[in-house]
Amino acid sequence: MRPYFPLTPIGMGTLQVECLSSFLHRLAVAHGVTRYQLVSHLQRWWVAETGEHLPRCQELRWDGYSPNVATALRALQHATGQSLSNTTLIALRDACAGNCIGSIKHERSWCPGCFAEDIAAGAPTYDRLLWRIQGVERCSVHRLRLARTCAHCGSSQFRDKTWVDLHMCAVCGDLLNIEPSKRDYVAKPFFGEVQTEWLVAHLSSLHETAENPLSRFLSSVDVTDRQLTKELGDIFHARCHPARPQLTSLIAVATCFNVDLMQLLTEPEAAAKQAVLKLGSASPRRVRRPSSHLRKSRTLWLKDQLIAAIAAGPPYASTAELCRTRDYNVDSARNTFPDLTAELSRRHHAWKEGESKRHLKNIKSTLKRLQARGKQLTVKTFTRLVAHESGAPLHLVRKVVGSTNRA
Ligand SMILES: [Zn+2]
Ligand SMILES: [Zn+2]
């Protein structure tokens, strides 16, 4: 007997396919539990069924291609009776870097326009696999920059321990699909966007990748190593032809040579025949690709980022925020730089505390000032008015107004 309700991932086989973490969230909500609880249940069930242990919930970057994802997919496919592979990048497991750097973002990102459309259609809101991939920063349907934090409270979005819908903030409960401003509009695709979209749209037809596709491709194209280093220097400066490159590197090569990434992965020699090096036209060096650094230089780079964040003064990001916005693993940052991360966290907490005190003071004085208005308005409207007037985040105002109402 299958242990879970039948629920299907949305958009299978299309560019808009749902990612596994989103599917798991919806599956958990359908059962009235959090994703953390669902995964704990899955772990116990899978050990009883097969004797095989599943990794802990936080250790999985669900949507990628790591061995952990492969194990989780086996268990989930068994539990739900359907194929879920294409909600992840598992098809790339033999072609891309074993350490998974440069594949899946460490935090959620979303297109407010897509959420608004889901809602208008009366359909469930969900996260697209495309949004999870590093380097994807724009929705090509709505030409909007993907959002990474809640516009109301500024929080990054994590889903392991909440059960609100995916278009609602896990911290303050407000909507994540706010009306986009002019600033969010991006007319032209970012570097590599077209190739990444092509890959996601055709993932279901990618059954097997060729052996060493990138090195075979690069040996077959008619370009000197010097030219390659010039165009793609920051990717290949240590080893010219890595056997298992990062996904971001593959996308960069496909973009620079203007080839079909699917063909590069399956028939590298044939792809090389089609290749035209767009010299200088789309140099990835001018594009922010935080994850293409090699491991050692990447570690040093993070150290500089930590030092700079501490030196920059308030507002201080938390260590977790700093790492996530730079697609760096939080635990490994804490292990490598215990003193720097501790110092940053200490400053972050001290700053946060000061900020809430300041906000609380403002809220209280605003409440006093608007007392008379409060009697004429609904609690919801009044809360919004106080938040607007005091400049304090809505969730804090809600707490204060709630406690004064009860009192
Ligand atoms: Zn969109
Ligand atoms: Zn929020």
Side-chain angles (χ1 to χ4, degrees), residues 150 152-155 157 169 171-174:
C150 165
H152 307 282
C153 71
S155 308
Q157 298 298 309
C169 174
V171 178
C172 73
D174 227 307

Side-chain angles (χ1 to χ4, degrees), residues 105-138:
K105 290 175 192 161
H106 287 250
E107 62 178 357
R108 273 181 77 203
S109 64
W110 60 91
C111 166
C114 287
F115 277 162
E117 250 173 43
D118 290 342
I119 295 166
T125 43
Y126 69 99
D127 282 3
R128 278 69 170 165
L129 177 61
L130 189 64
W131 300 345
R132 302 287 300 122
I133 300 177
Q134 285 191 23
V136 175
E137 298 299 338
R138 188 186 84 126

Side-chain angles (χ1 to χ4, degrees), residues 11-314:
M12 283 295 260
T14 72
L15 177 60
Q16 303 298 331
V17 60
E18 181 172 23
C19 60
L20 186 60
S21 52
S22 164
F23 172 70
L24 270 181
H25 179 79
R26 292 195 303 115
L27 189 64
V29 172
H31 288 83
V33 295
T34 66
R35 188 162 69 192
Y36 187 85
Q37 290 168 318
L38 181 87
V39 172
S40 304
H41 179 261
L42 183 72
Q43 282 165 330
R44 283 195 296 275
W45 175 78
W46 192 237
V47 170
E49 286 281 301
T50 65
E52 191 183 21
H53 285 273
L54 271 179
R56 283 189 300 148
C57 184
Q58 312 88 302
E59 283 167 10
L60 282 167
R61 274 163 74 196
W62 297 101
D63 311 319
Y65 56 81
S66 72
N68 279 351
V69 174
T71 318
L73 272 175
R74 260 203 311 282
L76 269 166
Q77 298 190 131
H78 202 78
T80 62
Q82 54 189 330
S83 166
L84 299 168
S85 307
N86 293 326
T87 58
T88 68
L89 297 180
I90 200 75
L92 301 175
R93 67 182 172 281
D94 298 324
C96 287
N99 57 16
C100 299
I101 289 176
S103 54
I104 291 291
K105 290 175 192 161
H106 287 250
E107 62 178 357
R108 273 181 77 203
S109 64
W110 60 91
C111 166
C114 287
F115 277 162
E117 250 173 43
D118 290 342
I119 295 166
T125 43
Y126 69 99
D127 282 3
R128 278 69 170 165
L129 177 61
L130 189 64
W131 300 345
R132 302 287 300 122
I133 300 177
Q134 285 191 23
V136 175
E137 298 299 338
R138 188 186 84 126
C139 166
S140 62
V141 180
H142 299 101
R143 301 187 172 191
L144 289 177
R145 192 185 294 279
L146 298 185
R148 285 186 180 228
T149 49
C150 165
H152 307 282
C153 71
S155 308
S156 300
Q157 298 298 309
F158 301 99
R159 289 291 151 172
D160 281 342
K161 293 187 179 169
T162 68
W163 48 74
V164 294
D165 284 341
L166 286 159
H167 65 281
M168 288 162 85
C169 174
V171 178
C172 73
D174 227 307
L175 297 175
L176 297 177
N177 57 307
I178 47 139
E179 193 65 38
S181 74
K182 227 178 179 175
R183 247 189 356 201
D184 304 317
Y185 185 78
V186 186
K188 292 212 177 93
F190 287 119
F191 179 83
E193 183 183 297
V194 176
Q195 275 72 13
T196 316
E197 287 195 346
W198 185 262
L199 176 76
V200 171
H202 294 86
L203 260 187
S204 53
S205 57
L206 184 63
H207 300 301
E208 207 177 345
T209 47
E211 218 163 294
N212 296 345
L214 184 69
S215 102
R216 279 166 58 190
F217 173 82
L218 290 175
S219 342
S220 315
V221 284
D222 190 18
V223 189
T224 62
D225 273 358
R226 230 180 106 209
Q227 250 176 325
L228 267 186
T229 321
K230 188 168 164 260
E231 288 304 306
L232 295 159
D234 67 334
I235 301 175
F236 299 118
H237 67 270
R239 272 188 303 166
C240 230
H241 301 176
R244 288 177 62 185
Q246 293 175 16
L247 176 60
T248 39
S249 307
L250 273 175
I251 291 168
V253 171
T255 308
C256 279
F257 284 93
N258 201 18
V259 292
D260 172 353
L261 186 51
M262 292 295 285
Q263 196 184 26
L264 197 160
L265 285 167
T266 50
E267 308 166 285
E269 282 84 8
K273 287 207 181 98
Q274 316 282 327
V276 195
L277 183 57
K278 293 198 283 185
L279 287 168
S281 62
S283 172
R285 271 165 299 174
R286 275 178 245 126
V287 179
R288 192 180 70 97
R289 277 189 304 105
S291 305
S292 67
H293 308 264
L294 295 167
R295 186 179 283 181
K296 200 171 153 201
S297 58
R298 190 169 150 76
T299 310
L300 288 176
W301 168 79
L302 187 82
K303 187 180 177 185
D304 289 343
Q305 297 279 312
L306 282 165
I307 293 172
I310 293 169

